[in-house]
Amino acid sequence: RLVSDWSSDVCSSDLGRAVTLARGMVAADPRDANARYDLAMSLSRLGAVDPAPGEVAQSLANLEEAIALMEAAWKANPKSLQILNQLAVARQFAGTRLESLGRRDQAEQQYLASLAATTVPFEREGLKGRATLQAIVDREFLALLYASAADRVRAFDDARAAVDIARRYAAAQPSEHATAHVARALSVLASVHSTFGESGAAREAAQKAIELWRTIRNPNILAWHRKAIEGASKLATERPGV
């Protein structure tokens, strides 16, 4: 998989303590909406950290609890784009955990729910909002999920949609950060082509991604996309039958 660089680098032990503190606040006043939302955010951040072997199920449980709390918060505050954006993020990470557990159908539903949650923020904020980036990520994960299931039509639909959204985002808000999103979307498209044995198209998309990454000077951005860069570099030199 080319796209796996979204998890937090924050220490899981610190996040675990934050969850404990947030639970204490909720226990002290179960009616405190702010305390419940703080707990949801702490659980979501903990769930976003790549789990150790054997801890994927617990990571998923944390995310599912966060999602339930965020859904309740959003129903109470339907105009809050912040809550909806955070709900989308939590659902995407829940999808990755479900996929790693082999629960592909449920993973697809979480990715689709995450993508659906970006609709309202996108309608209100346009291409410059956080929902745009989440939509790109969701499309990428869906493309790779469908490709691994040999669903060619949906894999390419989502991969190309990710590239299109990323390019429009970069045009609306040019920056190295935006350029990296275009490059990563192209690397996902390359991966999809490779999955279906189209090495020439895979090389072309991967080379375009690498050309964009070469324009980026910020080392933090490059480090964040390290796995995608490594994957694209491999696909850029792949030959038929390899």
Side-chain angles (χ1 to χ4, degrees):
R1 297 292 291 265
L2 291 177
V3 181
S4 56
D5 302 343
W6 290 294
S7 61
S8 171
D9 291 328
V10 178
C11 179
S12 60
S13 60
D14 291 339
L15 293 172
R17 284 191 290 272
V19 169
T20 300
L21 289 172
R23 285 198 190 282
M25 296 296 290
V26 172
D29 185 358
R31 295 175 297 178
D32 187 338
N34 288 330
R36 292 197 303 274
Y37 186 68
D38 286 345
L39 175 58
M41 288 300 298
S42 296
L43 286 164
S44 182
R45 289 177 181 132
L46 181 58
V49 176
D50 284 338
E55 295 182 1
V56 177
Q58 182 57 55
S59 176
L60 175 61
N62 291 333
L63 289 161
E64 289 176 335
E65 184 179 359
I67 289 167
L69 289 165
M70 287 178 181
E71 285 182 329
W74 184 59
K75 287 178 181 178
N77 303 274
K79 293 184 179 181
S80 173
L81 298 186
Q82 177 184 354
I83 295 174
L84 203 52
N85 282 326
Q86 293 299 331
L87 177 58
V89 172
R91 285 194 175 281
Q92 176 246 305
F93 276 105
T96 65
R97 302 294 175 255
L98 286 162
E99 192 174 354
S100 68
L101 290 169
R103 296 158 61 180
R104 300 171 57 86
D105 290 345
Q106 290 173 288
E108 178 191 11
Q109 292 308 309
Q110 288 290 359
Y111 293 146
L112 290 171
S114 177
L115 183 60
T118 68
T119 303
V120 172
F122 180 78
E123 289 175 348
R124 295 187 193 176
E125 298 180 328
L127 286 165
K128 295 184 179 181
R130 290 178 57 190
T132 301
L133 299 180
Q134 186 60 48
I136 296 169
V137 171
D138 291 332
R139 292 286 191 179
E140 290 168 347
F141 272 113
L142 284 165
L144 293 170
L145 178 70
Y146 291 140
S148 66
D151 188 336
R152 179 184 178 85
V153 173
R154 289 197 288 183
F156 277 109
D157 281 351
D158 280 307
R160 288 168 178 150
V163 173
D164 176 65
I165 297 169
R167 282 174 169 162
R168 287 191 288 125
Y169 172 75
Q173 195 154 308
S175 66
E176 288 194 338
H177 176 65
T179 297
H181 278 284
V182 179
R184 192 180 66 201
L186 284 166
S187 74
V188 170
L189 178 60
S191 180
V192 172
H193 277 298
S194 180
T195 298
F196 290 101
E198 301 168 1
S199 57
R203 284 197 306 276
E204 182 180 355
Q207 287 165 356
K208 288 180 180 178
I210 292 170
E211 288 172 4
L212 289 174
W213 270 312
R214 285 174 177 163
T215 69
I216 296 173
R217 297 292 176 262
N218 188 321
N220 293 327
I221 293 176
L222 295 173
W224 185 257
H225 294 281
R226 176 181 55 80
K227 292 180 182 178
I229 294 171
E230 291 173 354
S233 297
K234 181 179 178 181
L235 290 174
T237 58
E238 191 174 81
R239 291 291 179 264
V242 177

